[in-house]
Amino acid sequence: MAKIGRNQPCPCGSGAKAKRCCGVPRGPSPDQLATAFLNAACRQWAPVLAGYTVEELGELFQEVAALPATDLSLHARLPRLLPAGLQRLRTAIAEDDADAVTAAMPDALAIIDTPLERQRLARAVLALHDDGHRIDCDTAAAAIIDLAADDHSLLLLRAMIEALSVDTGTARTPAGLLVAAR
């Protein structure tokens, strides 16, 4: 099948140019833009951690893992209707079954782990840093680097667990409220 140019008539038969009718996809996708944002933020913030030792970085990433418990903006966004993988993890958290949580984690993380969700969390980290330095520079830098990494993000994992824990009523919100389970 031949590629349709932007200025050629639309194949739907409307008579309009393809760019004005059904369109010709162009430009980066939302996922590509989110990845570019994360990469740019990583390059900007990485020098903050230049002098850290391996042990100090380990401690810093433990602080990053604790961030979702400090602010709701750092909780993963859950869909209104939970897909099976997230529902299994939610049930395991509600039942306080550590083995089931471990088993359900990969499927649930595959649902939540998107470039757009990583970008949203990075923006939340930066907003909390800019808002009276509720997150210090070093922790913000570590969080951004964690979110920009190609492998699983510790912050994203903890954001998902914290969101599901609050959703099930097994954990309180950062403000101390106990939410009724849905």
Side-chain angles (χ1 to χ4, degrees):
M1 181 175 179
K3 185 175 177 182
I4 301 166
R6 295 181 62 234
N7 291 317
Q8 292 178 333
C10 188
C12 75
S14 68
K17 291 181 179 182
K19 68 182 176 186
R20 301 266 187 240
C21 191
C22 296
V24 175
R26 63 177 200 242
S29 70
D31 282 353
Q32 290 170 325
L33 290 172
T35 301
F37 170 83
L38 287 167
N39 290 336
C42 186
R43 281 191 303 276
Q44 177 186 355
W45 284 87
V48 172
L49 304 179
Y52 274 77
T53 66
V54 173
E55 292 81 21
E56 291 170 332
L57 285 173
E59 292 172 13
L60 200 54
F61 280 101
Q62 290 304 315
E63 290 178 33
V64 168
L67 286 176
T70 64
D71 197 275
L72 281 176
S73 68
L74 297 174
H75 285 202
R77 292 240 169 106
L78 300 175
R80 291 204 186 275
L81 294 173
L82 295 179
L86 277 173
Q87 186 58 46
R88 275 192 301 279
L89 180 57
R90 183 183 184 281
T91 301
I93 290 171
E95 294 173 354
D96 198 22
D97 184 349
D99 292 335
V101 167
T102 302
M105 195 76 66
D107 291 340
L109 197 55
I111 295 165
I112 295 292
D113 192 359
T114 66
L116 290 172
E117 183 62 12
R118 285 180 181 234
Q119 177 191 31
R120 188 194 66 75
L121 287 170
R123 288 185 185 279
V125 165
L126 295 174
L128 290 170
H129 169 70
D130 293 342
D131 181 30
H133 294 286
R134 291 180 53 198
I135 297 177
D136 64 59
C137 286
D138 298 343
T139 306
I144 297 300
I145 290 168
D146 175 64
L147 289 167
D150 288 334
D151 56 351
H152 292 298
S153 162
L154 182 60
L155 178 57
L156 182 64
L157 176 68
R158 295 299 302 223
M160 177 182 65
I161 291 172
E162 193 69 26
L164 287 168
S165 296
V166 167
D167 186 62
T168 61
T170 57
R172 295 182 180 275
T173 67
L177 299 175
L178 189 59
V179 178
R182 42 169 150 168

